[in-house]
Amino acid sequence: MGDQAHAHTRAAAGVPGTGRPRALRNVALVGHSGSGKTTLVEALAQTAGAVNRPGRVEDGTTVSDHEEIEHRQHRSVQLSLVPVDWDGCRINLLDTPGYADFVGEVRAGLRAADAALFVVSAAQEAEAVAGTTRALWEECAAVSMPRALVITHLDTARTPFDTMTRLCGELFGDDDPDAVLPLHLPVLGPEAADGHAPLTGLTGLLPQRILDYSGGERTERPPTDDERAPLDGARARLIEGIIAESEDETLMDRYLGGETIDVKTLVDDLERAVARGTFHPVLAAAPAAGGARQGIGTVELLDLITGGFPTPLEHPLPAVTTPDGSPLPALTGDPDGPLVAEVVKTSSDPYVGRLSLVRVFSGTLRPDDTVHVYGHGLDGPAHEDRPCHGTRTRAGALTSPFGKQQRPLDACVAGDLACVARLDTAETGDTLSGTGHPLLLEPWTTPDPLLPLAVRAHSKADEDKLSHSLARLVAEDPALRLEQNPDTGQVVLWCLGEAHQEAALDRLRDHYGVQVDAVPHRVALRETFAKPATGRGRHVKQSGGHGQYAVCEIDVEPLPAGSGVEFADRVVGGSVPRPFIASVEKGVRAQAARGVAAGHPLVDIRVVLRDGKAHSVDSSDAAFQTAGALALREAAAEAHVRFLEPVAEVRVLVPDAYVGPVMSDLSGRRGRVTGTEQSGPGRTLVRADVPELEIGRYAVDLRSLTHGTGRFDRAYARHEPMPAQLADRVAAQDG
C-alpha cells in the first residue's frame, strides 16, 4: 500500500452499504488485563477516520466512554461496540474486558463476533499472557473461530519482539508453532535514557518494505542492505508457514525447487488460511508511538481484518431449533431470510431504559417490528434449571453505539449488530424471531459464578427497592447468580471474583440507587443426634376458661445420612387420641426445621411417639403440636447434637506444574483428594471432596495459587459430621 494520503482516501471512502453481509466484519478484541485493547480500538477508530484524535468522537466523548467501563481501578468491566469503516467494509470492533472476573462479557463478545484478535502486551510477564488468554484461545479453537494476534507496548517492552512471537507460537500454536508467525518486524530507534528503544516503524516481511513513522507520517521505503539481512530468516519461515496451509498442493514443491512465489499469491493464500482459522498471523501495533499521527501498525491491522477475517456469510452460525427442540436447516445469513437474532448483552440507559445489544444472524430487523422473544437465558450450571419463556413484543429504535452517542439505524441486516430499545422482556441469550414462526438458537455458555457475596439492605428505603434492583442487575449480567437461601435466610450474589463483586455493588449504588451491606456468607449446616435419646413434652396451662393440655413421650434415634426425619406411632391403649397423633408429628417436624441446638435444620432421625396423655376438654391440635416440639427439645438436651457440614465435590483443572501446590492446598482445607487424571496436553484434573466452609474464597485463592491458569467447578455431594472443635465454635457463635 502507498502513503498516508492513500490510507486516508481508503478510510474516507465510506461503506457502500452496511446492508450487505459481505461488507461486514465482526471482530472481538481479547486479551489479558492491561494489554491495551481499548487504546488499540481508539487508535483503529482514529486511523479509520471515525474520531478526530485518539479516543475522541465529534461530541468530545471517548470511544470507550461508558464511564462504568472505566471502573474505579481503571479496569474495563463491560463489553463495548465500536463500529468503524475501512476499505468499503463496516468493522464492528467488540472491545472485551481483560480481567478474569469479567469473562462472561468476553464470551458475549465472542458470540457476536466472527473472528477474534488476541492482544498481547510485551510489557507484561509471560505468565500474565498464559492464564486466561490461553483458556479463551482454546474456546475459540473449539468452534474454529479465526484468530490473529497483535503485540502491543513494544516501546516499553520487557520482552523482545522475537521472544514474544516465539512465546505466542508455543502458547497458541496448537502443536504447530509455524501456524503462529509474524507478518512484520518492528523497527526500533536509538535507545533512550530509560533503556527503552522507541518503535519508529515496521518491516513488512512479504513485500519487504519499511513502513516508517519516524517523521510523524506513514511512509514506505525499501530496506537498506543492513536492514535486509535480519529479515531473510523470518521471511523464509513465514513463506513456508503460508505455503504449508495453501490449498495449492504444488506450491511447496515449486518453492523448494527454487521458484520465487509471487507476493500476491502468498497474500491470497495467507488470507484464506486466516479465514479458515488454520493460520494465525502475529502483528505489531503501538498506538500513539513515536509521535506518529496514526498508530503504528493500525493500517496493517485494518487491512488484515478486511482482507483476512471472514464475513458473516463465511463463519458458521449457531444451530437453530423450534421451541420444542426440533432441529431446523442451518442458517445462511440471508438478509431476506427469516428473522433470527440474539440478545448478546443487556444494559440500562438512564434516558431510554433497557438497551439490548443484538446480533442478527438471519433476516433483517427494523424499528417497530413485532418480534417473538423466546429463550431460557444462557446455558450453564447457573441457568440449567430455568424454564423457557416466550413473549411477543415490539422492538424500539435501532441504534449503533459509539461512545455516548447512539446513532439511529433504519435496519440491521444479517451479520450486523445494533442496540435495540424497549425489549423489556428479553434477557441476554434470548432469541428474537418473526412472530409467525418462533425459533430458538443454540445457547452459549457462561462460567459458573463460584464466589458468594451475601448482601442486605442498608436501610428500610433500600429494602423496598432491593428485590427489583437485584433482578435487573442479574438480567443485565448473566455471569451473576442470585440466590435466596431458604436455610440461612441470606440473599446471596454469586460472582466470578472480587472485582466482579465490586462492580456489582457499584452498579447497585450508582445505577439503581440502592445501598447494601456485605455480610459474612453463611453455609447451610445441619444438626442430627449422635445417639438415641428420649424426651417428654408437657404442655399444661389453665388460666381460666378453655385450657391447654397435652403430654407426649418420644424416643429419638439417629438414622443414616440422607434419611431426613421419620415419624412413627407406637401408642397403645389410646393414651394419645388418634386425631392428635398427627398434631404431635406436625410439632416435631416444625421443631426439626427450626433446629434444636444452633438454629440449623435437624435431619437423619427417627422419632417414635410411644405414650402420652390427653384431656377430654382441654386437649387441642395446637397443644399437642407444642408438646411434640417440647419433647424433641428435651431429647436434644439429653443426647449430644452433632453438626453436619456440606461437602462439595470439587474438580480443579490446572497445568501439570501446579498439581502439587493445588493438592497440598486442598489438603490444608480438610479436603480429600479422590483422584487425578490427564485432561489434555500438559493439564491435570484433580478431584477432591472439600467442606464448603473451606472453599468460600477458593475462586480467588486458586487464581492466585496458579497465576490465573487454574479453573474449578463444584457440586454438592453430601453432609458430613463436622470436627468436634469446629462444631463447638459454631455452637458458641450460633447458639
Side-chain angles (χ1 to χ4, degrees):
M1 191 163 52
D3 57 13
Q4 175 77 9
H6 185 191
H8 177 75
T9 300
R10 296 180 63 180
V15 179
T18 52
R20 298 186 301 111
R22 292 191 183 279
L24 294 168
R25 304 291 186 274
N26 299 311
V27 183
L29 280 80
V30 180
H32 50 292
S33 182
S35 60
K37 296 183 298 298
T38 300
T39 303
L40 180 59
V41 167
E42 293 174 348
L44 292 172
Q46 185 198 15
T47 299
V51 297
N52 48 31
R53 66 183 188 274
R56 296 285 168 181
V57 295
E58 289 79 358
D59 68 351
T61 60
T62 64
V63 169
S64 58
D65 212 350
H66 29 297
E67 292 297 333
E68 181 192 15
I69 288 183
E70 292 309 311
H71 189 232
R72 278 187 319 207
Q73 296 160 351
H74 305 290
R75 171 192 298 140
S76 294
V77 302
Q78 284 192 338
L79 171 72
S80 65
L81 169 63
V82 179
V84 301
D85 301 339
W86 184 258
D87 200 17
C89 291
R90 163 62 55 89
I91 303 173
N92 288 317
L93 298 170
L94 292 147
D95 184 13
T96 68
Y99 200 69
D101 283 9
F102 306 104
V103 68
E105 297 284 323
V106 180
R107 292 186 180 178
L110 292 174
R111 176 68 164 199
D114 301 306
L117 183 65
F118 280 74
V119 184
V120 179
S121 172
Q124 293 184 312
E125 298 291 348
E127 284 187 336
V129 180
T132 305
T133 311
R134 173 63 191 174
L136 291 171
W137 183 276
E138 292 171 352
E139 289 186 23
C140 292
V143 295
S144 301
M145 176 172 281
R147 287 145 285 156
L149 297 104
V150 57
I151 297 177
T152 59
H153 300 152
L154 289 169
D155 48 344
T156 58
R158 292 185 184 182
T159 309
F161 182 77
D162 57 345
T163 303
M164 286 299 303
T165 56
R166 178 175 51 79
L167 174 65
C168 289
E170 295 171 355
L171 288 175
F172 309 124
D174 300 326
D175 300 325
D176 182 11
D178 287 336
V180 181
L181 294 172
L183 300 185
H184 308 89
L185 297 183
V187 177
L188 301 177
E191 188 173 294
D194 60 3
H196 290 120
L199 184 68
T200 61
L202 302 171
T203 301
L205 292 178
L206 290 182
Q208 299 185 87
R209 302 283 291 179
I210 302 291
L211 311 174
D212 193 346
Y213 289 80
S214 58
E217 299 286 345
R218 179 181 183 275
T219 61
E220 291 188 19
R221 61 175 175 82
T224 64
D225 290 341
D226 290 340
E227 292 171 328
R228 187 182 302 275
L231 307 180
D232 291 341
R235 185 173 191 270
R237 189 179 178 195
L238 173 62
I239 291 174
E240 291 173 6
I242 294 172
I243 292 175
E245 301 296 336
S246 174
E247 297 175 349
D248 185 350
E249 298 179 356
T250 68
L251 204 58
M252 182 62 78
D253 291 336
R254 289 158 49 195
Y255 174 72
L256 295 177
E259 180 179 337
T260 299
I261 307 300
D262 181 62
V263 170
K264 183 180 184 306
T265 299
L266 293 171
V267 171
D268 290 344
D269 279 340
L270 167 68
E271 292 179 346
R272 282 192 288 267
V274 171
R276 288 197 308 269
T278 59
F279 188 82
H280 315 294
V282 181
L283 295 91
R293 288 167 53 185
Q294 283 183 320
I296 296 178
T298 54
V299 169
E300 292 68 37
L301 189 50
L302 289 167
D303 283 345
L304 175 72
I305 291 172
T306 55
F309 282 171
T311 72
L313 298 174
E314 296 171 311
H315 185 63
L317 301 179
V320 64
T321 67
T322 61
D324 63 6
S326 302
L328 294 173
L331 299 175
T332 61
D334 182 2
D336 297 322
L339 175 64
V340 183
E342 185 175 48
V343 178
V344 296
K345 179 176 174 56
T346 308
S347 60
S348 293
D349 185 277
Y351 302 105
V352 300
R354 178 176 290 193
L355 280 176
S356 301
L357 179 61
V358 169
R359 162 73 191 260
V360 179
F361 289 102
S362 173
T364 300
L365 179 64
R366 295 180 175 84
D368 296 323
D369 277 355
T370 299
V371 297
H372 197 99
V373 179
Y374 198 90
H376 41 67
L378 298 180
D379 190 25
H383 307 276
E384 59 190 7
D385 296 327
R386 293 177 58 180
C388 286
H389 56 267
T391 60
R392 290 179 61 172
T393 189
R394 176 172 291 183
L398 268 61
T399 55
S400 177
F402 198 86
K404 286 184 176 177
Q405 295 180 338
Q406 291 288 338
R407 300 170 175 174
L409 295 175
D410 295 329
C412 183
V413 303
D416 209 350
L417 293 102
C419 285
V420 185
R422 299 203 310 270
L423 290 178
D424 293 335
T425 60
E427 299 179 7
T428 301
D430 283 355
T431 302
L432 310 182
S433 58
T435 54
H437 301 283
L439 302 173
L440 184 64
L441 286 165
E442 179 184 33
W444 45 290
T445 61
T446 58
D448 192 16
L450 296 169
L451 184 66
L453 172 66
V455 297
R456 67 183 175 201
H458 183 71
S459 67
K460 180 62 171 67
D462 295 315
E463 187 174 347
D464 295 338
K465 298 185 292 184
L466 181 59
S467 178
H468 178 66
S469 299
L470 286 173
R472 291 181 62 185
L473 182 70
V474 173
E476 293 180 8
D477 184 356
L480 286 171
R481 176 161 54 93
L482 179 63
E483 175 193 16
Q484 296 188 350
N485 193 302
D487 293 325
T488 65
Q490 288 188 316
V491 176
V492 182
L493 272 176
W494 288 87
C495 308
L496 295 175
E498 290 179 311
H500 198 201
Q501 288 181 340
E502 292 176 18
L505 293 175
D506 287 350
R507 190 161 182 82
L508 279 174
R509 182 188 65 245
D510 298 338
H511 282 253
Y512 301 119
V514 178
Q515 292 279 359
V516 297
D517 298 322
V519 297
H521 175 244
R522 298 177 61 196
V523 170
L525 303 179
R526 300 284 186 268
E527 300 172 1
T528 193
F529 278 39
K531 63 180 182 178
T534 61
R536 185 172 188 267
R538 184 176 184 273
H539 183 62
V540 178
K541 288 189 177 181
Q542 189 69 48
S543 56
H546 189 59
Q548 299 180 54
Y549 188 95
V551 178
C552 64
E553 297 178 5
I554 62 172
D555 295 329
V556 184
E557 60 183 279
L559 293 177
S563 300
V565 176
E566 295 182 5
F567 184 86
D569 161 32
R570 294 179 186 167
V571 174
V572 295
S575 57
V576 178
R578 182 62 51 187
F580 295 137
I581 292 176
S583 302
V584 175
E585 179 179 0
K586 189 182 297 184
V588 165
R589 291 190 180 277
Q591 184 64 55
R594 294 191 296 268
V596 293
H600 305 294
L602 181 67
V603 296
D604 302 335
I605 58 169
R606 177 184 289 117
V607 178
V608 178
L609 176 61
R610 56 180 170 80
D611 202 358
K613 294 181 182 179
H615 190 275
S616 59
V617 175
D618 292 340
S619 290
S620 65
D621 171 70
F624 270 98
Q625 284 192 45
T626 302
L630 289 171
L632 186 61
R633 291 208 297 267
E634 182 177 290
E638 175 187 325
H640 172 64
V641 175
R642 176 185 296 169
F643 289 102
L644 304 176
E645 61 180 339
V647 174
E649 180 183 346
V650 177
R651 304 191 314 160
V652 188
L653 182 64
V654 292
D656 292 345
Y658 294 106
V659 171
V662 164
M663 292 176 66
S664 177
D665 178 73
L666 290 173
S667 297
R669 298 172 186 270
R670 298 191 286 125
R672 298 186 299 275
V673 175
T674 59
T676 61
E677 60 187 76
Q678 285 299 122
S679 181
R683 299 180 77 81
T684 298
L685 182 68
V686 180
R687 299 177 184 271
D689 291 342
V690 190
E692 290 190 8
L693 281 169
E694 305 291 342
I695 54 174
R697 288 182 48 83
Y698 194 58
V700 176
D701 298 337
L702 178 65
R703 186 180 299 166
S704 175
L705 181 64
T706 64
H707 297 278
T709 60
R711 289 177 284 172
F712 84 105
D713 57 48
R714 56 187 279 187
Y716 169 76
R718 60 194 170 275
H719 273 72
E720 289 184 352
M722 183 182 291
Q725 184 176 0
L726 185 57
D728 291 342
R729 190 159 67 245
V730 169
Q733 292 173 348
D734 298 342

